[in-house]
Amino acid sequence: MLIAKPGSNAASDIEPVEESLPAIDAEEIEPRFRAVVGRGGERRGIRLERIYWDGLGRMSTAGKMSTADLVQYTASQMPESGNLASLLRVLSLKWALRRLDSVEDISSMANVNAIIQASPSPTILLTHDKKIQLFNDPFLSMLRQRLPLSDASQLTKSLRFSVDTHIEEAIETLNRNKGRTLNTGFTITVGTQTLKGQINLALAPTHEKSMLIGYISRY
């Protein structure tokens, strides 16, 4: 069992996620015509692919304005030789990438580590293959108290951690039930010593790969 050092974000240990490219159907690449009317009554006919209309819709909702007002504002910023449809495509993608950067920053391993270190109870970060990626000082104190060893290095060399629920099933269950936690039993083994208890599992807010934060509630 590999255990990260307390306080370490262990970002270099995260395996890259292999993401498959999304499928694209014929309807998605067919430009859709819409006539939009701004506040001054100016009417514009625009052809954009569905994904860009979706992006503009999200921008409008976030900005608390109508899509027509967003188009009108964009047109007012367009140079004389510019193409409004092209400008809207660029605007939509830039907005989406800015949102993505913000989400990835919030869900970084450094922030996940801060959540774990801030917990007053023994807390760990579990990967899908049951490896402890991160842990906090209360978790280490629990091990030292309940599993006393003459050689402290044994904690990192021979520790085995398991939960009563399959990790893959726990991740699937929590993905289906957003905002919920899953309580299950756990077992820690170091050499011939064993520690059992209860742990609350929650999806870790990280984009690198699916992981679980485990808050030990009883041991």
Side-chain angles (χ1 to χ4, degrees), residues 134-154:
L134 297 170
F135 61 88
N136 62 2
D137 287 334
F139 179 79
L140 186 59
S141 297
M142 177 193 72
L143 293 181
R144 288 172 173 167
Q145 177 186 1
R146 294 303 182 94
L147 301 172
L149 295 170
S150 56
D151 183 5
S153 64
Q154 281 188 265

